[in-house]
Amino acid sequence: MSSVRPEDGLPVRRVITADSFRALKLKLNGGKPPPAAVAPPVPAPQQALPPKVPELPADPVPPVATVETLPEAIEPVRVEPPPQSETLAGSTVATIPDPLEPILLPAPEPLEIEPEPSQAESDPPLAEIIVEPAAPEPAMPEAPEAQAVEEQAKDAASPASTMTPVPREEPPAVSAPVKPGSPGFIERRVLERPLPEAPEAGERAHALLDIMAIPTAGSLPQERALANDTLLRLIPRMPLKSLRHLAERVCLMETPSQMLVRRLINDPRIEVSGPLLENAMTVDDSDLIAVCSSGNPAKLKLMARRRVISPALSEALIQSNDVETLLNLVRNQGAAFSIEAMWRLTRFAAAHPVLQAPLVTRQDTPSPIAFQLFWRLPSELRRYVLSRFLTDSETISKILIMNAENEGVERRFADLSLLSRLETASAEEQGAIYAQLVHVSKEAGARIAEDQGGEALTVALKAAGLTRAQFAGVVDKRQDAEALKAIFDTLSFNKARVLLTYWDWAARRTGPYARIAAA
């Protein structure tokens, strides 16, 4: 901005632009362009000092701003106003000719156009023009997202040698699925919000159950589905008596809703879940196994009483380690067991004698299980095992011969002279004598010597080929001599040999059941 003071002393403001400024320079120079000069490099702002501009003489011509060519590029130019003249009040104000009016001049030589200076930060004082380089605008802080994008772009543009390899994240290891009943299995269930009981809810539930019991030909799937969902919503409001009657009716249905059955068997009240767990044959084994994992003893005992129990459900019930549940399970003739489950039951029976009689008397108990359990049984059950699981035939004789040939043992008569050494021998020596007498391992001989019942001794002497008189001479001093003589009379050489063979396999941990028996 520039201001001049005319005769009346009142300033008139004029706007000086770049075009008007160049036109004014041409006018002051007589229409001749100034010589071209190359501007030197701009020094630092702090070293630049404003040069002194010579004062213009007083001239009737209105003062205008003049700019001299300075050695420094774009330096501040200061224009001094003319001396203020005294004016009288009421005088007229002379106007300054507009420098923007066109002036007819000869064609000038081409000029070097200097860059337009930027507007100063603040307006200069009156009659003073200061052209300063524009101050750089303050950089606005970038958003964190923008900075991250910019850094990624710089990394992508940088050479491959300067790039730092980013380690790849390994996919998470896929763990093996945990089955229900295992230690790592955790089942989460959504608990329903408790609602107040409504006596009329029971009547509505039975009406809905009637709709669900209609045969498929007489109802639509959408009707049964809606009735089922409505019934499930009514269950939290039904009284205990109505729920018990509902569970009993569901047990009689041929194809009940699995969602309804699952809801009832998971009810914590045994009056509601008990009838389904014991009597309903339409419950899936997967739902029953899930109930086993809860560890409720009352529910486990009821499931062990079911008319039909699959091997998978039997395995889940055995893993509960509840003696009463195992007792109900072993007594249930409708329960099926795998051979591994049978061996596990044998170990439980060795620790809990209450399981021994039901396990030995089962119809599906294999003979190896009974022979392994023989050492833990009382005398009455031992005689039952000898009478039930042993038999004699020509085929058995052939098989025993093949087994002896396979073991590399020659079939020969026993050395009965060893019997005279039994009375004076120690317990360890007696085991070695029995092993040499009946051609078994030392471990099996030691077990025969340690047995206090007398049944194992009777079997060994029968397999050694003793007569009844010779056997009586060995056992006459025992209190149970007469009972042992009766057992000796019922045994045959092949029966005794079969039982010794299984005992020898178990002692040496060989044969098809060695791994299972040792587990």
Side-chain angles (χ1 to χ4, degrees):
M1 301 292 292
S2 174
S3 62
V4 295
R5 293 183 175 89
E7 297 176 358
D8 57 357
L10 297 177
V12 179
R13 302 177 68 88
R14 293 284 186 242
V15 178
I16 298 177
T17 63
D19 295 335
S20 61
F21 189 76
R22 285 193 291 271
L24 183 59
K25 286 179 63 177
L26 290 175
K27 184 176 180 180
L28 294 177
N29 293 332
K32 294 183 180 181
V38 180
V42 180
Q46 60 271 19
Q47 296 179 359
L49 299 176
K52 295 182 179 180
V53 181
E55 298 181 358
L56 297 176
D59 196 340
V61 181
V64 295
T66 61
V67 179
E68 294 182 359
T69 303
L70 302 177
E72 301 294 335
I74 314 177
E75 294 293 336
V77 179
R78 189 179 304 273
V79 179
E80 297 285 343
Q84 185 175 0
S85 59
E86 297 180 358
T87 58
L88 298 176
S91 59
T92 61
V93 178
T95 60
I96 301 176
D98 192 353
L100 298 179
E101 294 180 359
I103 301 175
L104 298 179
L105 297 174
E109 297 181 1
L111 301 176
E112 291 186 3
I113 300 175
E114 300 178 358
E116 298 180 1
S118 59
Q119 187 178 359
E121 294 182 358
S122 60
D123 294 337
L126 295 176
E128 185 177 8
I129 299 177
I130 300 177
V131 181
E132 297 181 355
E137 298 181 358
M140 300 296 293
E142 298 183 358
E145 294 80 1
Q147 294 180 0
V149 173
E150 184 177 353
E151 291 178 0
Q152 292 180 1
K154 291 180 179 179
D155 294 342
S158 61
S161 60
T162 61
M163 295 178 63
T164 303
V166 180
R168 298 180 58 186
E169 296 183 358
E170 297 294 335
V174 180
S175 59
V178 183
K179 297 182 179 180
S182 58
F185 180 78
I186 300 175
E187 184 177 4
R188 294 180 173 88
R189 296 183 181 274
V190 179
L191 300 178
E192 294 179 329
R193 182 180 302 173
L195 299 175
E197 292 186 0
E200 66 277 4
E203 299 178 1
R204 297 171 185 168
H206 286 284
L208 292 170
L209 194 63
D210 293 336
I211 297 175
M212 297 169 58
I214 297 176
T216 306
S219 62
L220 297 175
Q222 294 83 354
E223 297 173 352
R224 295 192 297 273
L226 181 58
N228 177 59
D229 296 340
T230 307
L231 178 56
L232 291 174
R233 292 198 61 192
L234 283 176
I235 286 179
R237 305 187 61 185
M238 292 178 62
L240 178 60
K241 183 177 179 180
S242 300
L243 275 175
R244 185 171 64 251
H245 292 326
L246 179 66
E248 293 174 354
R249 286 196 58 186
V250 173
C251 292
L252 302 177
M253 296 178 64
E254 295 183 358
T255 56
S257 168
Q258 294 299 323
M259 294 180 63
L260 178 59
V261 171
R262 193 177 297 114
R263 172 64 177 79
L264 293 176
I265 64 176
N266 285 286
D267 195 290
R269 294 165 290 188
I270 197 64
E271 297 88 350
V272 179
S273 58
L276 288 166
L277 294 174
E278 184 178 1
N279 301 319
M281 295 292 103
T282 55
V283 186
D284 291 340
D285 281 355
S286 59
D287 295 332
L288 295 174
I289 292 173
V291 175
C292 291
S293 62
S294 64
N296 190 331
K299 291 186 177 182
L300 293 174
K301 286 187 290 185
L302 291 175
M303 283 189 287
R305 297 177 186 174
R306 294 174 62 85
R307 292 193 299 271
V308 178
I309 300 178
S310 64
L313 181 56
S314 298
E315 185 74 21
L317 292 172
I318 292 172
Q319 290 180 357
S320 66
N321 299 339
D322 185 69
V323 178
E324 295 184 8
T325 300
L326 295 180
L327 182 59
N328 291 339
L329 183 64
V330 174
R331 287 176 176 175
N332 189 350
Q333 297 298 327
F337 301 96
S338 62
I339 189 63
E340 291 83 2
M342 278 290 186
W343 281 106
R344 193 172 290 109
L345 286 174
T346 303
R347 290 191 287 273
F348 277 110
H352 303 282
V354 69
L355 300 175
Q356 295 174 359
L359 183 58
V360 171
T361 57
R362 283 187 61 88
Q363 296 297 325
D364 56 348
T365 301
S367 55
I369 298 294
F371 297 154
Q372 182 66 22
L373 194 59
F374 181 89
W375 304 101
R376 301 286 184 175
L377 299 178
S379 297
E380 295 79 6
L381 291 178
R382 285 185 173 188
R383 295 166 190 174
Y384 176 80
V385 170
L386 295 176
S387 62
R388 176 190 170 187
F389 293 97
L390 293 176
T391 186
D392 192 2
S393 66
E394 293 183 2
T395 304
I396 289 181
S397 262
K398 294 179 181 179
I399 296 173
L400 290 174
I401 293 173
M402 293 179 185
N403 179 66
E405 293 175 352
N406 185 48
E407 298 290 339
V409 178
E410 297 181 2
R411 188 181 179 91
R412 60 183 184 272
F413 293 101
D415 187 5
L416 300 180
S417 62
L418 298 173
L419 297 174
S420 59
R421 297 165 49 188
L422 289 175
E423 295 182 359
T424 59
S426 61
E428 184 177 356
E429 292 175 352
Q430 287 180 1
I433 291 173
Y434 286 126
Q436 187 177 358
L437 185 64
V438 294
H439 309 294
V440 294
S441 62
K442 293 182 179 180
E443 293 80 5
R447 198 163 193 180
I448 294 172
E450 294 172 359
D451 183 65
Q452 301 297 327
E455 291 81 10
L457 174 62
T458 303
V459 172
L461 295 180
K462 188 67 176 184
L466 270 68
T467 62
R468 191 178 189 280
Q470 292 173 337
F471 176 74
V474 176
V475 299
D476 278 341
K477 296 180 180 180
R478 295 177 60 96
Q479 296 180 357
D480 54 351
E482 295 300 326
L484 295 179
K485 290 177 184 180
I487 295 174
F488 185 86
D489 293 338
T490 59
L491 285 177
S492 65
F493 174 81
N494 287 341
K495 290 181 179 180
R497 194 72 242 177
V498 168
L499 191 54
L500 283 175
T501 300
Y502 276 102
W503 288 349
D504 191 28
W505 288 347
R508 293 189 298 171
R509 298 186 182 275
T510 59
Y513 305 103
R515 179 182 59 83
I516 302 175

